Amino acid sequence: LFSLSTPFIIIFLFSFFFFELGEIVVNEVNFVRKCISAESSQEDLWGKLICTNFKVSFILQDAPPKQKSHLSHLLLGEHDIPLTCLEQVVTVNDTRGKKKVLGSNQKLKFNPTELILYCKDLRILRFCFDEAGPESAKKVCLAIAHYSHPADLHLLFGFEYQGRRYHESKVNGSTPRGGLRTPIFDRPSDWDREIKRTSASGWRVCSAIYDGRCSLPEYIVVPVSLADQDLKRYSIFFTDQRLPLWCWNHPNGSALVRMASISDPVQQRKIEQRVFTAITKSHPQRSDVFKSDLDKCLPNIQDIQSSFVKVRHICVIDPFEESEERWLSSIETSRWLEHVRAFLKHSAEIVYCLDGKNASVILQEEEDRDLNCVVSSLVQLMLDPQYRSLTGFQSLVQKEWVMAGHRFLDRCNHLKKNDKEESPLFMLFLDCVWQMMNQYPAAFEFTETYLTVLSDSMWIPLFSTFLFNSPKQRAQHLIDFAKNKAIPAGEDQAVYFPPVWDWSQQFSTKDQTLFNNPMYVGKGAACVQNGEVKTFTRTKRNYSSSVRATPSSLRNGLKGGEETLTRRGSLLSELKPDFSPVKVESPSERFFRDLFSQPADQRGLLIPLLMPSHVALWKLYFLRWVPEACIPKGGPITAFHKLSQLVDEIEILQSQLRQYKGPSPGSTPLPSPGGPPVNQRRMYFKASPQNDPPTPPDFLTSSFPFTPMGNLCRRSIHGTPISKFLNGARIWLSTETLANDTV
Amino acid sequence: MEKQAGAAGAADCAGPNRKPWGSVTCGPVVAGDSLDSPTGSHVEWCKQLIAATISSQISGSVPPDIMNRDNKNLPGLRYGAQVRAFPNQVPLLPGETVQTTVKDVMYICPFSGLVSGTLTITDYKLYFSSVDRETPFILDVNLGAISRLETISVPTQGENTKGLELVCKDMRSPRFAYKTEESHPDVVDALAKHTFPLSHNLPLFAFLYKEQFPVDGWKVYDPVAEYRRQGLPNESWAISKMNSTYELCDTYPSILVIPTNIADEDIKRVALFRAKHRIPVLSWIHPESQATIVRCSQPLVGPSDRRCKEDERFLQIIMDANAQSHKLTIFDARQGSVAVTNKAKDGGYESESFYPNVEMNFLDIPNIHVMRESLRKMKDVVYPTIDEAHWHSAIDQTHWLEYIRLLLAGAAKVADKLESGKTSVVVHCSDGWDRTAQLTSLAMLMLDSYYRTLRGFQVLVEKEWISFGHKFAARVGHGDENHANSERSPLFIQFIDCVWQMTRQFPAAFEFNELFLITVLDHLYSCLFGTFLYNSEEERAAEEVQTKSVSLWSYINSQPEDFTNPFYVDYEHHVLYPLVSSRHLELWTSYYARWNPRMRPQVPVHQTLKELLFLRAELQRRVEELQKETSSHSLSSSSHSPSPTHTTGTPLHSAV
């Protein structure tokens, strides 16, 4: 076992530094310099570097200057990094020309003069020990390396923290589900509601398969024509018993279904036949079933991982000036955007089957736990505006990722045990969502800040959402956890170990308003129609019509647009081969052409445009920490600022209108004069009094609400570009360093 | 997914609501080319979307003639009526005449295949419309945009079929196939005559165009008023009429700002020492520090390192006019090595040993030929088809964005020298009318928020580009058939691209929108307006451009709402430095790749914001109404009203 001379101190109260419940200081070192800029040390900060069982913390020596922090995390200070967020811990000794990537339980044969922390949220932090005690510096480095490689899942800080938090909050009495509005899909009622909402009458909730051995959730949705006995019989033929699971129903009756591959090749045909028949029976028009094998047509998890590593490298690790030269080519070489396009494109094709061909679709993947998660959730985002609301989106992640058994623990590599299993699939999904958001800015209730914060939350080990590989694993761990922490049996898991969706765990109410998109045109948003100010409410009819309810029969008949296309087809046939730059359109091409020929209904079916020029690098996510890439006073946030103020003003006016008209039946009591109370205002930027001249929001930057200050400090080591250094870190560890180290 | 059409239906839905006069005055871009996309050009498509939003209060079924009556004071109304009465007729601008009509022409659409129809050639445009009445397809190319006409072979279309390709300056090359018959005049001849009127002793169309606009764009720029806005003249700088007859310098404007204490004789000597007599003159003065941007051409140093005492003193006076700094920075846009080789050609640069306290800076921007070549490569990348797999690297290989980066970086250096260094700068290249104009105008855009308004930007273009003799005629080649002329170069396009890059980085800092920038570029070529014609103020005065043609700004300023950015917030004295990094420079696809229907975005953000602005106005109006009602009510009943004290309808709360 790892031994440290410093005794563990349990902290109860620490005036200048916030400690979480159950947090323990492992080791600390004073007189540390945090590097801010690679060029000079003038702006560097002095303080104490602390390693706890939760995070690496840096406490400023002098009281920090009153800085306007835009998004202040309730659990983490400005200079804190959770241990789970560490990608690589690198120690350097400048004078002896040595460097070493530290793993768990390792020895360090030199006194580090510098510590570089590469983080999973793309930050790079650098600490210098030139004034610090060499021994304690070394100990802190080793402690950080050790504690960021937990031997077991239950050692992640969340288990300690949530246990204490539960008992603390018990004193005040907790509300059921912590007031959470997002369905967790851990109970049949959540599924029933979805079945009802999408009119999926051919499907039912089933709990017969759950036996605690496979990765399936307790409740799944299956065709009504299959009895529990059949399901049990069939399930053994599927990898990990993952038989076809219902995801979603189109208003036209087509269903989206996901399943694993059939392990027994002899039985494959027969089983598939039976399953297909059952799914066909669940379709009101008995339409065909279309199967899409994602393993065959999409990049695999290793491809995705390696291209993410590359794009991250280009964005944050490569020296800024060097990568300026052929920036677009480098991005292309990483293939990240190509993968993003591939997933969006494939999802769009599935949408065509469901919506255009009125056919049910089965997404098939070897294990049904990776690519299927991405595609099924993207398809639903494109087809169902409900999932573009904040709660809807969260329920989608819950349904298609968490409950569907995406292996968050392995893919995030929280325990740093198996690098081969690591893959940023959820990140890829978020990037795809961002692409849609970027093209349809009014379609989503939430903002890119929300998506970024959600991706960061993956690296904070306090929420049940991203810690486990399957619902089964979650259940087992949480039962043990409850036992250990003396939590009464029958208590709701979402209460004693909450998911990430309770955002008040991380952010103040005010900061959470950064998640609200002022442009959102969804449910409840006001809009202008024929000069009338109306509030858009989604009735059932509205919903189905917005999802392109044009019956396929009508579309295949001679409707206006179709006619012109056939006509054009006949024109095309006159073409001689060398004169025909285009081939005859396929039905799916026609479908998309038809779709894009209309102005997008951001409350309805949304397909992103997928020419390479339409798919962009998600700058807020990839470049937010890069000081050289930060536009002062600029970036899309400046437009957001104006919009936010405008919407705030509108909401105040609306509130006044209601006030003048008197409370309408069923509405809340009379609002206070001058608009809704401040804490109920949805917009982050409040309207400014009209008589004041606008003052430039100088604090806005393209990185807002994040700050690159001190979060990305590259360093070149003895003429070696840091890129080579980190790129070859592992290789180099086995050759160069070891040679150095054995001296 | 392979074949996504663009927003082809946008026109259909916007059609009934679109402003007929708006689209006709924008004649060169009407292009309702319904096969590529029914809306044709991006500009019109954009406009229609915006128009649809604006006119959303008008119900969709208003017949066009009613709308025409509503807009009686506005020009171009005949369009709607004409089209309704004679659906087959080509819409014409006032003053435009049909020259020839050819039937049975095939348009070879790179996106959708062949379309057969009728080709009409007027003295302003080429207009192709399909014979199929149910699927109207219109392609509209204004002749000014055509760079060269090329016959192409169409081997499979029969013996007497000819092929024609119109290689355009605006990044497209439509191709046609037509039958040749004895009776027909040759299409190419007719087209060539009106495409290159100057080569055929014909007038440019701008002199035939008879549109009347409610606003006179020629009044936008008044140099004296603009210099007064800058606080000039003052004790150090005078507004001089020395060049009123263009004798001092024939490519400079008649009104110049020069230092006060310098004799005319000395100035004449300086003129002899500067290439094309383009002496150092003031372009912009910082309102606080009094540091100035001064522009000129290269000094005629020559191989023997000639000196000119008057020139040296001239720069010394410019430096002394700014009390804040004892230095003067000269930005030479060229590469240092090029400046040296220019000495052999009798040019050169200021030697730091002869000009005390002068700091030389070379900005390393390549010359006009490099830029022309770069844009030519770009055309291959974006038209007609793109290589999806290598899109990004193909853009890199054109180096276009790299040059944009160099320009913005140079301009930012100039601006920073003034703003932070409080030092006056002199900018020149070789002749001081290409890269110099790019740099000074971009720096002024960064420093002075006035130039970021719709009006201010027009002033900037009129001043730094048009009046200071950027050779628009030579660089664009208006009406001239000599397409291979090495004088042609897309310098102004590059400048507008830089502006667009800035609007992308600061979406709330510019009063004008993307449509405005695209419209300016379209009319750079169109020859519809007199604005960009000829090489210098002297030539324009001789041709009486202002009396015989219409200004582009008349068109723009008659409908400013269409060109206004709804995000705009007017922050005064707000200096903006764009972040000059490849990470934030993008290819302007909505301009360069707009002819490809698959490249277009589906939703302009402006739409939502315009709706919100309308919503706010509407709500404000209703709140005011109710306030009035309530207060009259409370007066009569003398009870205390819950109404807030405001009666002006201003927001009733304070910021948090």
Side-chain angles (χ1 to χ4, degrees):
Chain A
L1 234 158
F2 194 71
S3 66
L4 288 157
S5 50
T6 319
F8 289 8
I9 315 156
I10 298 179
I11 305 293
F12 294 103
L13 193 76
F14 221 73
S15 59
F16 56 91
F17 161 56
F18 48 105
F19 268 104
E20 302 316 323
L21 296 157
E23 194 170 359
I24 295 165
V25 169
V26 176
N27 225 317
E28 59 180 49
V29 56
N30 252 313
F31 310 111
V32 174
R33 185 158 57 87
K34 181 178 176 178
C35 303
I36 299 300
S37 150
E39 283 85 44
S40 80
S41 53
Q42 274 189 346
E43 289 168 68
D44 288 357
L45 302 170
W46 289 90
K48 186 198 278 186
L49 185 66
I50 302 173
C51 172
T52 78
N53 55 345
F54 170 43
K55 64 182 182 239
V56 177
S57 207
F58 183 74
I59 313 297
L60 292 183
Q61 203 168 339
D62 310 308
K66 202 74 173 150
Q67 234 192 0
K68 195 165 172 144
S69 188
H70 306 304
L71 186 67
S72 43
H73 202 280
L74 297 177
L75 304 175
L76 292 161
E78 207 187 322
H79 303 280
D80 294 351
I81 315 127
L83 292 166
T84 25
C85 188
L86 293 176
E87 171 82 31
Q88 210 164 45
V89 179
V90 179
T91 46
V92 180
N93 184 304
D94 258 342
T95 45
R96 294 172 61 190
K98 288 182 177 176
K99 43 231 141 148
K100 181 168 178 169
V101 179
L102 287 182
S104 177
N105 246 338
Q106 276 185 327
K107 286 189 180 124
L108 188 56
K109 292 189 175 171
F110 58 82
N111 287 328
T113 56
E114 208 169 285
L115 170 71
I116 308 174
L117 301 175
Y118 294 92
C119 305
K120 293 194 175 182
D121 61 5
L122 272 55
R123 285 189 282 175
I124 301 172
L125 288 95
R126 244 178 83 200
F127 299 97
C128 286
F129 301 123
D130 32 13
E131 304 287 325
E135 276 303 311
S136 17
K138 186 174 176 175
K139 277 179 191 156
V140 164
C141 293
L142 289 169
I144 291 169
H146 182 72
Y147 279 82
S148 59
H149 291 73
D152 194 85
L153 177 57
H154 74 262
L155 293 175
L156 289 177
F157 182 65
F159 290 89
E160 188 61 34
Y161 170 77
Q162 295 294 9
R164 288 182 187 253
R165 188 203 51 88
Y166 172 79
H167 289 293
E168 291 262 313
S169 65
K170 260 299 160 213
V171 182
N172 311 321
S174 63
T175 49
R177 296 242 136 164
L180 203 65
R181 288 185 312 152
T182 304
I184 299 295
F185 291 94
D186 57 348
R187 44 180 78 173
S189 58
D190 288 343
W191 288 106
D192 274 325
R193 213 177 304 115
E194 274 298 285
I195 290 174
K196 217 170 157 189
R197 187 180 70 86
T198 60
S199 322
S201 52
W203 300 84
R204 68 182 179 94
V205 182
C206 161
S207 61
I209 304 301
Y210 188 73
D211 59 0
R213 285 201 306 271
C214 65
S215 61
L216 288 175
E218 192 170 351
Y219 304 98
I220 58 174
V221 177
V222 295
V224 284
S225 58
L226 291 179
D228 288 357
Q229 282 312 311
D230 302 327
L231 291 167
K232 276 187 183 158
R233 208 148 34 88
Y234 299 153
S235 70
I236 55 167
F237 295 106
F238 287 89
T239 305
D240 198 23
Q241 299 181 44
R242 294 183 70 97
L243 34 75
L245 311 174
W246 174 87
C247 302
W248 183 79
N249 243 54
H250 191 282
N252 67 18
S254 311
L256 179 68
V257 178
R258 56 191 287 175
M259 69 180 201
S261 60
I262 296 166
S263 38
D264 183 351
V266 186
Q267 299 289 330
Q268 187 177 347
R269 244 234 154 101
K270 197 179 86 193
I271 301 296
E272 250 180 25
Q273 203 62 53
R274 300 219 172 135
V275 166
F276 283 17
T277 311
I279 293 172
T280 306
K281 277 189 192 159
S282 292
H283 196 294
Q285 282 105 50
R286 305 288 180 267
S287 275
D288 283 346
V289 178
F290 172 81
K291 188 184 85 173
S292 173
D293 188 343
L294 301 192
D295 287 323
K296 286 193 182 128
C297 46
L298 286 170
N300 63 33
I301 62 162
Q302 284 86 19
D303 296 338
I304 295 163
Q305 168 69 4
S306 80
S307 97
F308 183 74
V309 168
K310 278 184 204 146
V311 75
R312 184 178 64 182
H313 219 278
I314 296 159
C315 290
V316 298
I317 297 167
D318 279 346
F320 188 84
E321 283 304 325
E322 236 170 75
S323 50
E324 275 290 281
E325 202 81 333
R326 288 168 51 78
W327 172 252
L328 291 175
S329 308
S330 334
I331 292 294
E332 183 179 288
T333 320
S334 79
R335 305 186 68 185
W336 177 255
L337 294 181
E338 189 186 321
H339 293 332
V340 166
R341 273 178 73 210
F343 275 88
L344 285 169
K345 195 164 179 171
H346 196 77
S347 305
E349 272 153 21
I350 303 296
V351 167
Y352 163 66
C353 290
L354 288 162
D355 187 77
K357 290 208 315 206
N358 194 16
S360 290
V361 176
I362 301 177
L363 304 174
Q364 190 182 43
E365 185 198 359
E366 173 75 37
E367 286 201 311
D368 179 32
R369 296 168 72 181
D370 290 308
L371 310 183
N372 271 1
C373 301
V374 184
V375 173
S376 75
S377 33
L378 286 177
V379 168
Q380 292 172 66
L381 271 175
M382 291 177 190
L383 282 163
D384 191 342
Q386 163 70 25
Y387 294 123
R388 294 177 221 140
S389 70
L390 183 69
T391 315
F393 180 76
Q394 298 184 156
S395 76
L396 182 70
V397 173
Q398 198 62 37
K399 181 162 74 96
E400 298 302 329
W401 292 80
V402 182
M403 281 302 153
H406 176 66
R407 301 205 278 196
F408 278 110
L409 181 64
D410 292 347
R411 297 292 172 252
C412 294
N413 203 8
H414 285 316
L415 305 181
K416 300 185 175 61
K417 284 229 168 75
N418 191 351
D419 293 341
K420 279 187 191 128
E421 292 288 326
E422 188 170 344
S423 183
L425 255 89
F426 190 66
M427 188 49 227
L428 178 88
F429 165 65
L430 295 183
D431 199 327
C432 292
V433 178
W434 180 83
Q435 303 292 344
M436 291 181 65
M437 191 182 262
N438 191 37
Q439 291 185 24
Y440 302 105
F444 293 84
E445 189 181 18
F446 44 92
T447 56
E448 62 171 331
T449 301
Y450 167 80
L451 292 180
T452 313
V453 162
L454 179 57
S455 80
D456 288 346
S457 303
M458 269 197 283
W459 315 117
I460 304 172
L462 304 182
F463 321 111
S464 60
T465 314
F466 306 116
L467 290 185
F468 305 100
N469 278 335
S470 67
K472 178 201 71 178
Q473 192 191 24
R474 169 179 301 95
Q476 281 172 353
H477 270 88
L478 293 189
I479 288 163
D480 292 349
F481 167 77
K483 259 186 225 149
N484 290 338
K485 301 291 173 188
I487 291 163
E491 179 66 281
D492 189 347
Q493 285 180 3
V495 170
Y496 67 74
F497 209 121
V500 71
W501 315 126
D502 177 7
W503 290 103
S504 63
Q505 295 177 98
Q506 296 191 62
F507 301 102
S508 68
T509 316
K510 158 88 179 163
D511 280 353
Q512 284 178 57
T513 58
L514 275 170
F515 300 167
N516 297 334
N517 175 11
M519 276 185 277
Y520 182 51
V521 291
K523 207 160 130 191
C527 65
V528 186
Q529 273 173 357
N530 296 329
E532 279 287 294
V533 177
K534 285 179 180 164
T535 298
F536 185 84
T537 44
R538 189 182 305 287
T539 62
K540 204 160 181 133
R541 228 172 97 239
N542 243 327
Y543 162 72
S544 55
S545 70
S546 66
V547 191
R548 289 179 61 82
T550 327
S552 59
S553 57
L554 217 163
R555 214 181 288 132
N556 291 335
L558 287 180
K559 230 189 96 201
E562 197 72 13
E563 197 183 9
T564 62
L565 285 164
T566 25
R567 210 172 284 257
R568 256 171 234 157
S570 65
L571 216 163
L572 285 176
S573 60
E574 293 168 16
L575 284 176
K576 299 291 182 305
D578 57 330
F579 239 161
S580 148
V582 281
K583 52 186 192 307
V584 177
E585 274 184 329
S586 72
S588 75
E589 285 167 349
R590 247 180 237 183
F591 172 80
F592 290 117
R593 177 204 267 253
D594 196 24
L595 181 77
F596 290 123
S597 69
Q598 303 160 22
D601 174 7
Q602 302 204 42
R603 302 178 190 105
L605 173 58
L606 274 194
I607 305 281
L609 294 161
L610 292 170
M611 292 290 276
S613 59
H614 294 127
V615 177
L617 185 77
W618 182 10
K619 285 184 198 154
L620 183 69
Y621 177 80
F622 285 105
L623 300 177
R624 62 189 154 144
W625 310 120
V626 184
E628 301 95 325
C630 177
I631 309 171
K633 306 180 200 173
I637 192 72
T638 53
F640 177 92
H641 176 256
K642 161 116 191 207
L643 269 171
S644 172
Q645 289 186 326
L646 185 57
V647 171
D648 188 53
E649 200 176 331
I650 288 170
E651 288 180 351
I652 287 160
L653 288 169
Q654 278 172 330
S655 151
Q656 284 167 6
L657 266 181
R658 277 196 299 274
Q659 182 192 333
Y660 285 121
K661 283 178 180 164
S664 56
S667 80
T668 44
L670 200 69
S672 63
V678 172
N679 60 3
Q680 279 172 30
R681 281 157 74 176
R682 293 190 310 125
M683 290 299 117
Y684 186 78
F685 297 109
K686 308 288 188 268
S688 55
Q690 213 168 50
N691 298 330
D692 293 4
T695 42
D698 283 339
F699 58 90
L700 293 181
T701 72
S702 58
S703 293
F704 184 91
F706 307 97
T707 164
M709 229 301 262
N711 280 322
L712 192 94
C713 194
R714 300 185 198 83
R715 171 191 202 275
S716 60
I717 296 163
H718 303 302
T720 318
I722 191 80
S723 56
K724 261 185 208 157
F725 169 56
L726 194 84
N727 201 15
R730 279 180 189 129
I731 306 160
W732 165 83
L733 182 64
S734 59
T735 56
E736 202 183 324
T737 326
L738 288 183
N740 276 349
D741 238 10
T742 46
V743 178
Chain B
M1 287 306 292
E2 270 308 317
K3 280 197 46 80
Q4 301 166 0
D12 299 338
C13 87
N17 288 333
R18 82 172 180 212
K19 290 201 265 175
W21 70 282
S23 33
V24 79
T25 47
C26 130
V29 289
V30 163
D33 118 6
S34 68
L35 207 56
D36 291 3
S37 82
T39 49
S41 75
H42 174 80
V43 180
E44 186 55 19
W45 170 78
C46 246
K47 270 195 81 154
Q48 282 172 3
L49 272 181
I50 292 170
T53 322
I54 296 166
S55 55
S56 60
Q57 54 266 57
I58 306 164
S59 91
S61 55
V62 180
D65 51 342
I66 290 180
M67 285 182 62
N68 285 354
R69 255 181 274 129
D70 288 347
N71 292 327
K72 205 153 239 164
N73 55 332
L74 304 172
L77 301 181
R78 271 161 296 171
Y79 174 54
Q82 224 173 33
V83 163
R84 236 164 48 89
F86 316 100
N88 287 332
Q89 195 166 330
V90 177
L92 294 177
L93 297 171
E96 186 181 4
T97 47
V98 172
Q99 302 298 316
T100 182
T101 301
V102 191
K103 295 215 163 103
D104 293 328
V105 176
M106 286 278 203
Y107 168 55
I108 306 161
C109 177
F111 310 108
S112 325
L114 292 184
V115 193
S116 67
T118 305
L119 185 69
T120 308
I121 294 159
T122 75
D123 44 5
Y124 174 63
K125 65 173 173 275
L126 170 148
Y127 188 88
F128 173 84
S129 63
S130 70
V131 281
D132 188 345
R133 278 190 204 182
E134 280 177 43
T135 55
F137 172 85
I138 291 161
L139 177 74
D140 186 335
V141 182
N142 62 69
L143 301 182
I146 299 172
S147 170
R148 67 172 195 271
L149 302 169
E150 207 146 274
T151 49
I152 51 169
S153 65
V154 280
T156 52
Q157 293 292 303
E159 272 183 20
N160 49 358
T161 303
K162 277 192 178 179
L164 173 65
E165 179 170 354
L166 314 177
V167 180
C168 290
K169 297 165 183 172
D170 62 359
M171 316 293 279
R172 59 176 160 167
S173 297
R175 300 196 293 164
F176 297 93
Y178 61 98
K179 300 244 185 289
T180 46
E181 282 163 38
E182 296 299 318
S183 54
H184 266 221
D186 192 64
V187 182
V188 180
D189 290 345
L191 204 52
K193 203 166 124 190
H194 295 282
T195 302
F196 311 117
L198 297 188
S199 305
H200 294 85
N201 286 320
L202 289 170
L204 290 166
F205 183 73
F207 295 102
L208 306 171
Y209 183 44
K210 296 282 173 272
E211 188 70 270
Q212 298 286 316
F213 286 100
V215 178
D216 181 6
W218 294 123
K219 297 207 171 108
V220 162
Y221 178 56
D222 169 4
V224 174
E226 164 56 15
Y227 289 124
R228 198 182 303 126
R229 186 192 69 83
Q230 293 187 21
L232 297 168
N234 61 18
E235 68 273 20
S236 311
W237 295 93
I239 294 178
S240 161
K241 297 205 166 141
M242 230 185 127
N243 198 37
S244 56
T245 54
Y246 307 105
E247 260 173 33
L248 179 69
C249 172
D250 58 0
T251 58
Y252 261 3
S254 59
I255 289 172
L256 297 171
V257 176
I258 51 179
T260 41
N261 47 354
I262 190 152
D264 285 3
E265 279 314 302
D266 290 350
I267 290 176
K268 282 175 187 158
R269 289 214 184 85
V270 172
L272 291 175
F273 188 64
R274 290 278 166 181
K276 309 283 193 299
H277 300 177
R278 294 172 68 94
I279 59 165
V281 293
L282 178 144
S283 265
W284 189 78
I285 182 161
H286 194 286
E288 280 147 29
S289 71
Q290 304 287 301
T292 50
I293 298 179
V294 172
R295 59 182 291 173
C296 58
S297 60
Q298 63 178 339
L300 299 176
V301 172
S304 56
D305 282 326
R306 257 194 307 271
R307 292 180 64 172
C308 171
K309 284 265 177 289
E310 290 78 10
D311 193 74
E312 286 162 25
R313 205 172 75 85
F314 200 103
L315 292 196
Q316 181 67 39
I317 290 170
I318 289 168
M319 187 181 78
D320 293 343
N322 168 20
Q324 304 260 4
S325 172
H326 299 294
K327 277 212 170 307
L328 182 70
T329 305
I330 299 180
F331 286 99
D332 189 325
R334 302 166 294 183
Q335 285 141 311
S337 56
V338 173
V340 172
T341 39
N342 257 290
K343 278 186 169 186
K345 294 180 246 166
D346 225 29
Y349 58 95
E350 294 81 355
S351 156
E352 284 178 19
S353 45
F354 301 151
Y355 293 83
N357 304 320
V358 156
E359 183 188 289
M360 275 306 287
N361 262 298
F362 294 100
L363 295 174
D364 294 327
I365 302 167
N367 63 25
I368 61 166
H369 312 294
V370 175
M371 301 310 174
R372 180 179 58 240
E373 184 56 14
S374 175
L375 192 65
R376 192 197 58 73
K377 284 187 196 153
M378 184 62 81
K379 184 172 175 178
D380 294 341
V381 173
V382 298
Y383 188 93
T385 49
I386 68 157
D387 177 358
E388 293 199 22
H390 303 104
W391 166 252
H392 292 102
S393 45
I395 294 170
D396 264 354
Q397 279 155 21
T398 67
H399 298 289
W400 181 256
L401 291 178
E402 195 184 314
Y403 301 141
I404 295 282
R405 185 159 65 100
L406 275 176
L407 267 176
L408 282 170
K413 277 182 202 163
V414 173
D416 184 58
K417 200 44 118 182
L418 259 86
E419 180 66 23
S420 315
K422 299 186 168 153
T423 302
S424 292
V425 299
V426 173
V427 183
H428 70 69
C429 46
S430 297
D431 291 320
W433 51 41
D434 290 318
R435 284 166 282 190
T436 304
Q438 290 179 321
L439 290 166
T440 56
S441 52
L442 285 171
M444 286 157 76
L445 204 58
M446 293 172 197
L447 290 164
D448 192 338
S449 55
Y450 169 69
Y451 297 123
R452 292 176 223 136
T453 64
L454 189 62
R455 251 335 154 91
F457 187 77
Q458 297 168 11
V459 169
L460 184 70
V461 169
E462 284 282 353
K463 179 176 180 310
E464 287 305 296
W465 288 83
I466 298 170
S467 84
F468 273 99
H470 172 69
K471 301 200 292 176
F472 278 104
R475 297 288 176 256
V476 175
H478 293 129
D480 173 41
E481 66 184 357
N482 187 6
H483 62 85
N485 192 330
S486 65
E487 282 277 288
R488 292 195 185 177
S489 189
L491 276 275
F492 188 71
I493 294 130
Q494 209 172 28
F495 161 69
I496 295 290
D497 193 330
C498 289
V499 176
W500 179 79
Q501 303 285 352
M502 284 183 71
T503 64
R504 293 285 291 178
Q505 293 194 17
F506 305 102
F510 293 82
E511 194 190 13
F512 48 86
N513 59 21
E514 185 178 45
L515 177 64
F516 170 74
L517 296 177
I518 293 175
T519 306
V520 168
L521 285 186
D522 279 336
H523 293 295
L524 170 68
Y525 301 129
S526 75
C527 298
L528 183 62
F529 301 106
T531 304
F532 295 117
L533 301 185
Y534 302 105
N535 287 325
S536 65
E537 198 177 283
E538 188 189 23
E539 284 181 29
R540 273 183 289 272
E543 301 291 338
E544 297 172 81
V545 167
Q546 295 211 4
T547 46
K548 291 185 175 165
S549 75
V550 179
S551 163
L552 168 60
W553 317 128
S554 305
Y555 165 61
I556 300 274
N557 297 338
S558 296
Q559 45 195 334
E561 67 282 0
D562 285 2
F563 301 104
T564 305
N565 168 20
F567 292 118
Y568 177 61
V569 190
D570 177 22
Y571 303 123
E572 275 181 39
H573 308 305
H574 199 51
V575 178
L576 288 182
Y577 298 112
L579 193 87
V580 188
S581 155
S582 304
R583 284 152 172 84
H584 289 289
L585 298 180
E586 296 162 63
L587 181 70
W588 188 11
T589 44
S590 39
Y591 176 70
Y592 300 111
R594 63 182 157 151
W595 309 116
N596 186 337
R598 296 170 61 204
M599 303 287 277
R600 291 173 196 154
Q602 218 179 345
V603 178
V605 178
H606 304 89
Q607 206 176 336
T608 316
L609 198 70
K610 288 236 165 161
E611 276 179 25
L612 286 173
L613 286 168
F614 175 73
L615 181 67
R616 180 177 64 176
E618 179 65 22
L619 287 169
Q620 225 149 31
R621 188 183 61 76
R622 273 158 65 173
V623 167
E624 267 172 59
E625 265 174 30
L626 286 162
Q627 272 173 346
K628 264 182 217 146
E629 227 172 88
T630 320
S631 59
S632 61
H633 206 71
S634 62
L635 269 178
S636 59
S637 65
S638 79
S639 69
H640 188 69
S641 153
S643 153
T645 50
H646 310 249
T647 48
T648 51
T650 52
L652 312 168
H653 58 277
S654 52
V656 178

